[in-house]
């Protein structure tokens, strides 16, 4: 039966036309690890064997692992049970769409509040359902897909789950790498999805036998031909995805090694709303908002800023109120239920015996909450503007002035601190980790306007081996006192060397909002043969983009610092470009535009400028277009490649570039800039 599935794969995918010659037994058993490879080996693990279930479009492989230990183990300061089970299913389909549909079906059943993405396969998620307050007493699940394969793995022990899942992921990836001809892209299947809309699946089939580059682009529209920004376009063959910009536009290019021609496809999508979406009630998700409270007695009005976070139906937060020139914070708590919002403000001063409380009741719309209030001070009306504040992401490179990072040697009974973070390693006896402290005051992490933060660690290129998962611990004490409280988990996998920076983010939101916590311990466990090492960038590495950095998400008012800003200069610049689509001077001074970019550690990939007025003119860095080129200069360095294209690694938290074009774009000019696979666009401001 499995042989028939493989024939179906080769025939239905039409990816290369070559025979797919792999032994049947190798496929059916290669995805699941032998018990010898699991932590504890044959002494502790039992595998019941592999079963298969055939269906019309594929086959499902299933197996079950049981673990028994005569004593309860302690791992990463977490006490484990003596017995636990792991159930693993792997689905193999004869097309990418079926795999995508099953992945969506399986992940839609998971609890989003307890789910996080993991870098398994092309995409994957990890989730858990707690059974008690004990950290490892839960039902754990991992679902991931890679090309035409989908894996669903469940366990009642988090460590066992990762042990099996990491092997399945690695074996599946190795299988795909060993059979690349089967998965060469000879067509592209797009899955177009947006919240509240029905998903669209569309396939582009190539008639050309040897494409070198395939580009698909277009726009996504909703009802009334309004563009739908933020629509996710997933390319099932590659696992990549892009989001539509504010105009609903998208573009994706895949390069095929050994090809000869460049192909281009254009497709617009028209999304239909899901049934019942029109009547859905507005959703309040929390944030920072401007509020206005009116007093009915003396017509007095007080403006304030409220921060409210939502957990289920409960609201928690604080109000920042300016009274007689002094800003004071007051606790908020309440509930939101079926569009009705009820909030209590505790206005009692610290140390005072005078009880002060105000109660706010209102109804939720898409733009605001409004209603009445009563309590201390009288009563009146109130209004909370829901779009008062947005969020911006800021990156701060860490150094000795704002942080300390110490290497921790972890063994059975020993915790040693040493300066620096040259590498982390793991074996059966010893592990190394980092203990990270931040200077909250210098980083500005104490205010109500900080939504969250994460530590970004970047691998130095070609300097890591093995597969790693990272556990972080929020600590109320120093490592020497062994005071660890289990925190978040992040999983990363590195199966082969890469020239580009490879990063992992460790959530530190709980740490920055809890003043009593001394720091965060980040300690790895490596998979595979149990040993290996990962070299991360320290304080003094070059390029700067490899250094540890803090990713801070802040609430900002409209008009706050944007990730990208462009300013048209009043004077003329030196001669760099002409009306050609390559970087070439023409004897005339250029028009210059100052670009301020705040996206460190990512790669600047494309720049496009669109003139204002009725007659549109375009300049860009795409060497395949006929449009005039844009020259990018940083200091005195020209960043364009020989053909005019751009692929520049942004190192600093804020970079200033000079963009050169051949003529004035006029009033109302706009820009489109692609950084790290994401498109940004906006108006070009005039700078006198």
């Amino acid at each position: 039966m499995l042989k028939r599935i493989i024939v179906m794969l080769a025939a239905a995918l039409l990816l290369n036309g070559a025979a797919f010659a792999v032994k049947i037994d190798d496929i059916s058993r290669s995805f699941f690890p032998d018990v010898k490879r699991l932590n504890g080996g044959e002494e502790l693990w039992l595998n019941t064997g592999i079963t298969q279930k055939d269906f019309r479009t594929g086959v499902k492989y299933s197996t079950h692992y049981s673990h028994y230990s005569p004593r309860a183990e302690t791992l990463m300061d977490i006490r484990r049970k003596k017995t636990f089970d792991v159930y693993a299913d792997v689905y193999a389909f004869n097309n990418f769409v079926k795999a995508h549909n099953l992945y969506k079906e399986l992940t839609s059943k998971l609890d989003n509040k307890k789910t996080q993405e993991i870098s398994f396969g092309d995409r994957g998620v990890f989730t858990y359902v707690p059974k008690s307050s004990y950290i490892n007493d839960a039902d754990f699940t991992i679902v991931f897909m890679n090309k035409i394969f989908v894996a669903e793995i469940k366990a009642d022990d988090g460590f066992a789950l990762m042990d099996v899942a990491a092997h399945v992921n690695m074996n599946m990836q190795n299988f795909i790498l060993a059979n690349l001809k089967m998965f060469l892209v000879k067509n592209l299947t797009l899955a177009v999805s947006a919240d509240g809309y029905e998903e669209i699946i569309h396939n582009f089939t190539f008639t050309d036998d040897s494409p070198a580059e395939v580009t698909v682009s277009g726009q996504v529209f909703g009802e009334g031909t309004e563009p739908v920004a933020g629509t996710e376009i997933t390319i099932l063959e590659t696992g990549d995805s892009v989001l539509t910009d504010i105009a609903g536009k998208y573009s994706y290019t895949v390069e095929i090694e050994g090809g000869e021609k460049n192909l281009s496809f254009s497709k617009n999508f028209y999304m239909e709303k899901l049934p019942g979406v029109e009547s859905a009630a507005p959703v309040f998700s929390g944030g920072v908002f401007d509020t206005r409270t009116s007093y009915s007695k003396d017509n007095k009005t007080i403006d304030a800023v409220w921060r409210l976070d939502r957990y289920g139906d409960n609201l928690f937060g604080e109000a920042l109120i300016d009274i007689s020139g002094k800003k004071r914070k007051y606790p908020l708590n309440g509930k939101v239920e079926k569009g009705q919002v009820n909030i209590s403000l505790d206005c009692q001063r610290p140390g005072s015996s005078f009880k002060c409380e105000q109660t706010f009741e209102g109804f939720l719309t898409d733009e605001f909450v409004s209603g009445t209030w009563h309590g201390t001070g009288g009563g009146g009306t109130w209004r909370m503007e829901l779009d008062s504040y947005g969020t911006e992401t800021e990156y701060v490179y860490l150094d000795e002035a704002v942080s300390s990072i110490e290497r921790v040697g972890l063994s059975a009974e020993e915790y040693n601190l040493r300066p620096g973070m040259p590498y982390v390693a793991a074996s059966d006896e010893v592990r190394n980790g980092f203990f990270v402290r931040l200077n909250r005051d210098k980083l500005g992490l104490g205010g109500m306007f900080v939504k969250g933060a994460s530590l970004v660690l970047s691998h130095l290129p070609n300097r890591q081996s093995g597969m790693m998962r990272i556990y972080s611990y929020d600590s109320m004490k120093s490592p020497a006192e062994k005071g660890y409280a289990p925190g978040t988990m992040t999983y990363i996998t590195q199966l082969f060397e890469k020239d580009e920076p490879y990063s992992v983010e460790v959530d530190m939101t709980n740490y920055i909002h809890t003043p009593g916590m001394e720091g965060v311990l980040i300690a790895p466990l490596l998979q595979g043969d149990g040993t290996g090492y990962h070299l991360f960038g320290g304080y003094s590495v070059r390029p700067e983009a490899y250094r540890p950095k803090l990713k801070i998400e802040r609430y900002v008012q409209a008009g706050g610092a944007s990730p990208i800003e462009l300013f048209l200069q009043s004077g003329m610049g030196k001669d760099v470009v002409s009306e050609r689509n390559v970087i070439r001077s023409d004897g005339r001074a250029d028009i210059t535009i100052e670009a301020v970019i705040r996206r460190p550690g990512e790669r600047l990939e494309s720049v496009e400028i669109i003139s204002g007025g009725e007659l549109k003119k375009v300049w860009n860095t795409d060497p395949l277009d006929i449009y005039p080129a844009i020259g990018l200069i940083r200091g005195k360095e020209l960043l364009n490649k020989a053909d005019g294209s751009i692929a520049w690694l942004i190192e600093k938290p804020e970079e200033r570039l000079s963009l050169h074009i051949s003529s004035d774009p006029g009033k109302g000019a706009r820009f489109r800039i692609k950084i790290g696979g994401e498109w940004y666009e906006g108006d070009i401001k005039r700078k006198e």
Side-chain angles (χ1 to χ4, degrees), residues 116-121 126 142 162 165-167 169-170 424 434 455-459 464-471 489-496 502-506 522-528 533-536:
Q116 67 180 49
E117 293 185 2
I118 55 173
S119 54
F120 277 11
F126 163 85
I142 281 179
M162 283 305 302
H167 280 89
N169 178 54
M170 179 176 62
V424 292
F434 310 133
L455 178 68
V456 182
L457 300 173
S458 296
H459 281 146
Q464 52 271 345
S465 66
M467 296 173 58
M468 182 168 69
R469 69 178 185 258
I470 287 182
Y471 287 75
M489 293 182 288
T490 304
Y491 308 98
I492 65 174
T493 304
Q494 183 72 2
L495 295 175
F496 47 87
Y502 176 74
S503 299
V504 59
E505 291 187 15
V506 180
I522 301 165
L525 292 176
L526 281 92
Q527 299 299 307
Y533 69 90
H534 286 245
L535 182 66
F536 289 104

Side-chain angles (χ1 to χ4, degrees), residues 284-305:
F284 180 81
S285 57
V288 169
F289 313 102
D290 283 331
T291 64
R292 174 165 292 186
T293 303
S294 299
Y295 289 74
S296 56
K297 288 184 178 180
D298 51 12
N299 294 322
K300 183 174 63 174
T301 299
I302 289 183
D303 295 321
V305 176

Side-chain angles (χ1 to χ4, degrees), residues 96 99-100 103 117-125 143-151 169-170 172-173 176-177 180 183 185 232 234-241 252 493 495-496:
F96 295 95
H100 169 74
Y103 177 79
E117 293 185 2
I118 55 173
S119 54
F120 277 11
D122 289 331
R123 51 197 158 132
V125 295
V143 179
F144 65 92
M145 70 172 293
N146 203 337
K147 305 298 181 284
I148 57 173
F149 304 110
V150 178
N169 178 54
M170 179 176 62
M172 188 179 292
Q173 183 72 11
I176 292 172
L177 291 175
L180 279 178
F183 298 97
V185 176
E232 184 176 25
T234 303
I235 297 84
L236 303 187
E237 285 77 2
T238 66
D240 295 336
S241 63
Y252 174 82
T493 304
L495 295 175
F496 47 87

Side-chain angles (χ1 to χ4, degrees), residues 132-341:
S132 70
S133 59
Y134 176 61
I135 185 64
N136 206 38
D137 186 21
D139 291 326
F140 301 90
T141 302
I142 281 179
V143 179
F144 65 92
M145 70 172 293
N146 203 337
K147 305 298 181 284
I148 57 173
F149 304 110
V150 178
E152 181 183 37
I153 303 170
K154 299 181 177 182
D156 56 355
D157 178 272
F159 298 102
L161 176 83
M162 283 305 302
D163 203 6
V164 173
H167 280 89
V168 172
N169 178 54
M170 179 176 62
N171 294 339
M172 188 179 292
Q173 183 72 11
N174 289 339
F175 173 82
I176 292 172
L177 291 175
N179 298 278
L180 279 178
K181 287 186 177 181
M182 175 183 173
F183 298 97
L184 287 178
V185 176
K186 302 295 271 187
N187 55 52
L188 289 181
T189 309
L190 305 189
V192 185
S193 59
D195 290 341
Y197 293 91
E198 293 185 354
E199 185 179 55
I200 298 174
I201 302 290
H202 183 80
N203 180 264
F204 295 97
T205 302
F206 311 156
T207 56
D208 195 287
D209 291 333
S210 56
E213 188 176 276
V214 182
T215 299
V216 292
S217 61
Q219 282 183 278
V220 178
F221 300 95
E223 293 185 349
T225 65
E226 290 294 324
V228 183
T231 300
E232 184 176 25
I233 313 290
T234 303
I235 297 84
L236 303 187
E237 285 77 2
T238 66
D240 295 336
S241 63
V242 294
L243 298 177
T244 56
D245 61 19
I246 194 171
K249 294 181 179 180
Y250 72 93
S251 179
Y252 174 82
T253 299
V254 59
E255 296 179 357
I256 304 174
E257 187 175 353
E260 299 174 357
K261 298 180 181 179
N262 295 331
L263 304 180
S264 180
F265 297 92
S266 179
K267 175 67 177 178
N268 293 341
F269 295 99
Y270 297 87
M271 309 284 284
E272 294 186 5
K273 283 194 173 183
L274 292 168
V277 169
E278 293 80 3
S279 59
V283 177
F284 180 81
S285 57
V288 169
F289 313 102
D290 283 331
T291 64
R292 174 165 292 186
T293 303
S294 299
Y295 289 74
S296 56
K297 288 184 178 180
D298 51 12
N299 294 322
K300 183 174 63 174
T301 299
I302 289 183
D303 295 321
V305 176
W306 285 13
R307 172 175 177 164
L308 286 167
D309 293 319
R310 178 172 180 172
Y311 301 92
D313 292 333
N314 297 312
L315 302 176
F316 303 91
E318 54 188 353
L320 186 66
I321 304 176
D322 191 337
I323 301 177
S324 301
K326 292 184 178 180
K327 291 185 177 180
R328 302 181 186 275
K329 292 182 181 179
Y330 301 94
L332 297 169
N333 64 79
K335 280 186 173 293
V336 56
E337 199 169 15
K338 295 182 179 179
Q340 185 169 351
V341 179

Side-chain angles (χ1 to χ4, degrees), residues 93-109:
F93 291 92
N94 65 4
N95 65 81
F96 295 95
V97 176
K98 294 297 182 182
H100 169 74
N101 290 342
L102 177 64
Y103 177 79
K104 284 195 62 180
E105 178 186 341
L106 294 177
T107 54
S108 67
K109 300 175 182 178

